[in-house]
Amino acid sequence: MKNYLIIFLTVLCFGNVFAQNPNLGTSGAQFLQLPVGARSEAMGGAMVGLADDASAIFWNPAGIVKVNNVQAHFSYMNWFDLFDFNAASIVYNAGDIGTFGASMVLFTTDDMEITTEEQPNGTGRYFDAGDIALGISYAKYLTDRFSVGLTVKYIEQRIWNESASGFAFDIGTQYRLDFQNLTIAMCMSNFGPDMKFTGSDLEFLTRVDDNYTTSRLVPSQLSTQEYPLPLNFQVGIGFDVFEYEFVKMKGAIDVTHPNDNAERAHFGTEFSFFDRFFVRGGYKFNYDDQDFTFGAGANVPLGGSAVYFDYAFSLYNILPSVHRISVNLSF
């Protein structure tokens, strides 16, 4: 029966991967879709079934129940040599009450000089842009095999004097079987209402009647179009491939269904040696600009605590390659 279940999940993963989405490129707040954490990206983003540390908040909040006590996560990357992407989270396991977490994602760029048609070389004035997402999470085991998690997050995007903000939800589940620690998981992320930019630069004065120069000026405002959040539904499995005396191998397969792009598949694997050193690899299927990811990691025990260091390298076809680093602290 378990073998049939694996076959069914494989068919489910690939059955709709070639389906086309009519809403290509229609959602905003794209920073919410950037992969968080070096371990996750090194495994090609196949993480909803294997998420088990503080970074699980960003992939599947149901996975934070596997944090034993307290764990913090920090990660950084320079996105295409243009943007800084920082993420942090902290998780506390309160036992039978459940597991609580808090997270932050910050996506920023350096100041840029303002140019106009009259001054194409610069005006001497500068503007900046930045996005932020703040979240609180809760997860709990409903049975000894099944966990569910929820994240509520505040999202804000800003460019110069204009900004847009709103709230969104992530919800995820994990169900573990006895066979090879097979975990069936799903996560729906960024579920929330549309957002809309407003700000002082959209305000102006307009004359009631242009035919009369003495006609009074009325305060007016340009109205921007609302845009949806990048809603994403991801299902997958994580499992143990083999385990010997000092070598272990894990595997994972995920399929994602975004609201603004075609379906995609993620494949990942992780080798661990003595539970201290890790080598990882992943493949992203049906992406226009990316295929393979690689990475490595190590952990150092410090008494009753431990420090985990992870690195990921993402290879792009045309755009610059991206390096990620992450640190996890367990207490």
Side-chain angles (χ1 to χ4, degrees):
M1 188 64 185
K2 295 173 182 176
N3 292 333
Y4 286 121
L5 178 61
I6 295 176
I7 295 173
F8 169 75
L9 289 172
T10 303
V11 173
L12 177 65
C13 286
F14 293 104
N16 294 319
V17 77
F18 292 104
Q20 295 298 311
N21 192 301
N23 299 316
L24 296 177
T26 57
S27 69
Q30 288 295 306
F31 78 103
L32 296 173
Q33 299 204 74
L34 297 180
V36 177
R39 181 197 178 204
S40 305
E41 175 63 9
M43 297 183 66
M47 190 49 59
V48 293
L50 293 181
D52 58 1
D53 56 19
S55 67
I57 285 180
F58 306 107
W59 292 91
N60 186 350
I64 65 175
V65 296
K66 298 177 182 178
V67 173
N68 291 327
N69 189 20
V70 179
Q71 189 174 101
H73 170 86
F74 307 92
S75 63
Y76 169 80
M77 71 172 173
N78 185 256
W79 188 247
F80 301 141
D81 300 326
L82 295 172
F83 307 96
D84 289 323
F85 183 87
N86 293 275
S89 63
I90 186 167
V91 173
Y92 169 64
N93 191 325
D96 294 337
I97 299 176
T99 304
F100 301 86
S103 59
M104 178 190 72
V105 173
L106 188 62
F107 188 61
T108 58
T109 184
D110 294 333
D111 291 347
M112 292 176 281
E113 189 171 7
I114 299 172
T115 60
T116 65
E117 293 181 356
E118 294 79 13
Q119 295 175 289
N121 295 323
T123 62
R125 301 172 62 196
Y126 292 82
F127 76 97
D128 64 348
D131 302 331
I132 188 171
L134 303 173
I136 55 173
S137 304
Y138 174 77
K140 184 177 176 61
Y141 274 114
L142 300 184
T143 71
D144 60 341
R145 298 174 181 269
F146 180 71
S147 63
V148 61
L150 174 69
T151 296
V152 181
K153 52 191 177 184
Y154 169 77
I155 303 164
E156 180 178 282
Q157 292 192 280
R158 181 185 58 80
I159 178 168
W160 203 6
N161 298 314
E162 279 59 61
S163 64
S165 62
F167 289 89
F169 301 88
D170 299 346
I171 185 169
T173 62
Q174 287 185 339
Y175 182 73
R176 182 179 58 84
L177 302 176
D178 287 334
F179 177 73
Q180 297 295 107
N181 282 324
L182 176 67
T183 300
I184 306 169
M186 79 88 185
C187 183
M188 181 177 64
S189 56
N190 307 320
F191 177 76
D194 293 351
M195 293 171 53
K196 181 179 181 179
F197 274 98
T198 59
S200 60
D201 293 318
L202 300 175
E203 299 174 355
F204 64 99
L205 296 175
T206 183
R207 194 175 299 279
V208 175
D209 190 341
D210 290 335
N211 295 322
Y212 297 93
T213 57
T214 58
S215 178
R216 67 188 180 92
L217 297 175
V218 178
S220 305
Q221 186 177 56
L222 295 174
S223 179
T224 60
Q225 186 175 2
E226 293 185 344
Y227 59 90
L229 294 174
L231 179 66
N232 186 64
F233 182 73
Q234 188 162 340
V235 295
I237 56 174
F239 50 90
D240 294 339
V241 179
F242 64 78
E243 179 177 351
Y244 292 119
E245 185 175 353
F246 60 89
V247 180
K248 299 178 183 178
M249 179 182 176
K250 294 180 180 292
I253 302 174
D254 286 3
V255 166
T256 65
H257 178 82
N259 67 340
D260 63 348
N261 214 318
E263 283 76 9
R264 296 162 169 176
H266 302 172
F267 305 87
T269 185
E270 176 184 72
F271 290 90
S272 65
F273 303 92
F274 302 100
D275 290 328
R276 290 286 179 266
F277 305 98
F278 304 87
V279 177
R280 306 178 180 107
Y283 178 75
K284 296 185 176 184
F285 179 76
N286 210 27
Y287 279 72
D288 295 330
D289 56 354
Q290 188 181 12
D291 295 316
F292 295 99
T293 60
F294 309 93
N299 62 66
V300 179
L302 299 173
S305 304
V307 182
Y308 297 78
F309 301 94
D310 294 304
Y311 166 79
F313 176 76
S314 303
L315 183 64
Y316 287 81
N317 298 329
I318 300 176
L319 298 168
S321 300
V322 176
H323 304 269
R324 287 176 175 84
I325 55 174
S326 297
V327 177
N328 277 21
L329 304 176
S330 296
F331 305 96

